[in-house]
Amino acid sequence: MAKRSSLSIRIVEGKNLPAKDINGSSDPYCIVKVDNEPIIRTATVWKTLCPFWGEEYQVHLPPTFHAVAFYVLDEDALSRDDVIGKVCLTRDTLASLPKGFTGWAHLTEVDPDEEVQGEIHLRLEVVPGTPARRLRCSVLEARDLAPKDRNGASDPFVRVHYNGRTQETSVVKKSCYPRWNETFEFELEEGAAEALCIEAWDWDLVSRNDFLGKVVVNMQRLYAAQQEEGWFRLQPDQSKSQRGGKEQVAGCVSSPKHFQRTGPGSPLTASARGSLGSLQLEVRLRDEVVLPSRCYQPLVQLLCREVKLGTQGPGQLITIIEETTSTDRRQEVATNLLKLFLGQGLAKDFLDLLFQLELGRTSEANTLFRSNSLASKSMESFLKVAGMRYLHGVLGPIIDRVFEEKKYVELDPSKVEVKDVGCSGLHRPQTEAEVLEQSAQTLRAHLGALLSALCRSVRACPAVIRATFRQLFRRVRERFPSAQYENVPFIAVTSFLCLRFFSPAIMSPKLFHLRERHADARTSRTLLLLAKAVQNVGNMDSPVSRAKEAWMEPLQPTVRQGVAQLKDFITKLVDIEEKEELDLQRTLSLQAPPVKEGTLFIHRTKGKGPLTSSSFKKLHFSLTTEALSFAKTPSSKSTLIKLANIRAAEKVEEKSFSSSHVMQVIYTDEAGRPQTAYLQCKCVNELNQWLSALRKVSVNNSGLLGTYHPGVFRGDKWSCCHQKDKTGRGCDKTRSRVTLQEWNDPLDHDLEAQLVYRHLLGVEAVLREKHRELSGDTEADAVPAGSGEAPTDPLGELLQVLQDLREAHSASPPGPPPSEPGRLLELQT
């Protein structure tokens, strides 16, 4: 049994942000930090005070995290980025909101005295003596302190306050992981209620010292315990907040009542809140206790049996689940069910059942799969989980070309902007007709290239997707067999492939990982027009599509040609037999596609020469389920780091290489000697994506490290903590459980079963009511559970399974705490 925590994050938009640039605008982006660790950076939205991001993330993290913060910054090309403000949510706040936080939150000022991080290791003792007892405080070490100096480090020292006396440790230069091992003693007065205060500071020669955080210890608890030792979280100086009447912890809102929750279109104006603006967020914390696999087998087997029986099943549980699922939860439930059946090899059968159920209740062909039904949502999830690599292969080159050309494209005469053309001294206004004609030519070229790439991709399409579309095509043709519905089976396929997969990816390539940044206004318009053209082709050039936007007429010849190409493509796509499907699946399984690949810069320590940024070498990296390999080019001979030999994948502190985007892979070579490879990434997102991928594929390795050094061993000591023992225990804890969810993550069967169980438990009352209606027993309040007897009807079986799982959760002992050196004590304030 394991307890797992995850954060579902959607950064929607900002409103009324302050202007940070001289042109009266800003270039805002967001940084998301979990316990002061940057894990996400959104794209920059240029020249706006009301940016829209619409970016979604799923973060897996240990249950012991404390807060998640959203920082809004203004990007500057020549100077340091300006911090606009932040929104912070504590774990307790999110835990108190079962449906998560959804709404607008006001940005607050970033106070340096509240931007603290890290922990301090203390030993506290009450020592007997005559005539009075003494308090002994040993300041041992600290880790992950905030870097306050330009060199990416701090010069920390500690002040200990008690009963009017103050004592200080020595200053440790250039370290965020200092070790002091100094002890102080104070006389204890009987009955004194004053708390012990330990403050960490960054020493500065010229300017004032910077506050790094503090710990306040309740002396009554210490009197009772006599001795305590462990790691204490550093807390901010709350004196300012308390004087202002704010109830906040570490600059974070610690209660949901302190959020100004307004409607999506009506955040308070910036002037009403001090000119910092607002941020619209959707954040949900999910804590799941995942039981051993055997506990979920009855639930999985029951659902699989229903899918195998199809529409002939006696209880039709899938239909009942759809009926009892609210619209706002349908996408989430569809994804969980899809992944559960995908892990059981029944995704195609599950989707086929949904196709049959939707066709059975559809009378008009033109409304087929147009609603947000369980079938539509499940197919959307299926294409993203099983077809994202295929999407990248087909769309990637076309999207790159659109971004690189940056041409002005417009077909709507009411929106055409006439501009000057020609060389210097010979400028003339370009006519509207010329703009429209050039735009039509550009779009015809892009659409033609896309359709050609699609037609060539039949063999590249995953076999399970082809087989699923085959079932869809057959079911629709059986339901609408007459000649007047000749195009309906084709439209059924394109309604998912084009309208719900390719078109959204064209309009928002950043959200489908096709690009790292959002498109600018000009490129966005080109992508939108291209997506409209793809939709017209997907609708088989229906009169309704043509009538909506008559100004798309210049593309009609290409659209009509595209319809013929698309029909030929679909005919070949669905022409796959069972044997070919199995052969293709077997071939793909043997190929083992890479988990992640791309270009990085590497510096492998050899114990010679200085470690500098110039010593990094550009190489192509590929991570599979067996090894991390790198070479000059993808086709060159590779050097391998076996996956089983990886001991940790962690970040490197900025001062080590004057870069905040360096990670280290700690592993053992063939002789069992520890080695470290330092890899430089180009941005924080790429860094966290590689860290996540490495951590996920090595999560079951034996000998994973609990501590590591975030610095480098330079000369005769570590740059982080100044230890001279190269093989000694690390000065910081590893973060192997902090990962980002990606579309190509391996399936977690037990977690998906737990999520399905959690949803069914939430609608259990509705299921029981449905069971009473079906059985005709209006008096029954519960499913009878006789000795060794189970209900004979599927819905009754499901209710019994839910009851058994609830009892299994109640009987399960709490999971062990995360293994790490020392004990993180609860802070007493």
Side-chain angles (χ1 to χ4, degrees), residues 779-790:
E779 301 298 326
D781 291 325
V783 178
S787 175
E789 298 181 1

Side-chain angles (χ1 to χ4, degrees), residues 77 225 242 273 428 472 500 510 703 746 808:
Q242 291 168 354
R273 297 292 301 176
R428 65 172 180 82
L472 173 62
R500 291 179 180 263
K510 169 73 167 63

Side-chain angles (χ1 to χ4, degrees), residues 740-808:
L740 295 172
Q741 182 167 306
E742 299 286 348
W743 55 268
N744 58 347
D745 279 352
L747 295 173
D748 189 331
H749 309 296
D750 295 340
L751 178 59
E752 299 306 332
Q754 167 64 23
L755 295 177
V756 171
Y757 157 71
R758 179 66 62 193
H759 168 70
L760 294 174
L761 193 65
V763 295
E764 184 180 17
V766 182
L767 293 175
R768 290 189 181 279
E769 181 63 30
K770 187 74 173 178
H771 183 252
R772 284 196 292 267
E773 293 176 6
L774 294 175
S775 63
D777 182 9
T778 56
E779 301 298 326
D781 291 325
V783 178
S787 175
E789 298 181 1
T792 56
D793 60 302
L795 183 52
E797 271 190 85
L798 177 62
L799 291 169
Q800 182 64 54
V801 167
L802 295 182
Q803 182 173 317
D804 293 342
L805 276 171
R806 184 166 53 242
E807 292 173 357

Side-chain angles (χ1 to χ4, degrees), residues 146-159:
K148 294 291 186 179
D149 299 335
R150 287 188 174 184
N151 59 13
S154 288
D155 304 318
F157 68 96
V158 172
R159 285 177 181 160

Side-chain angles (χ1 to χ4, degrees), residues 93-108:
T93 300
L94 293 170
S96 68
L97 301 169
K99 294 185 178 180
F101 172 79
T102 301
W104 290 91
H106 300 294
L107 291 171
T108 59

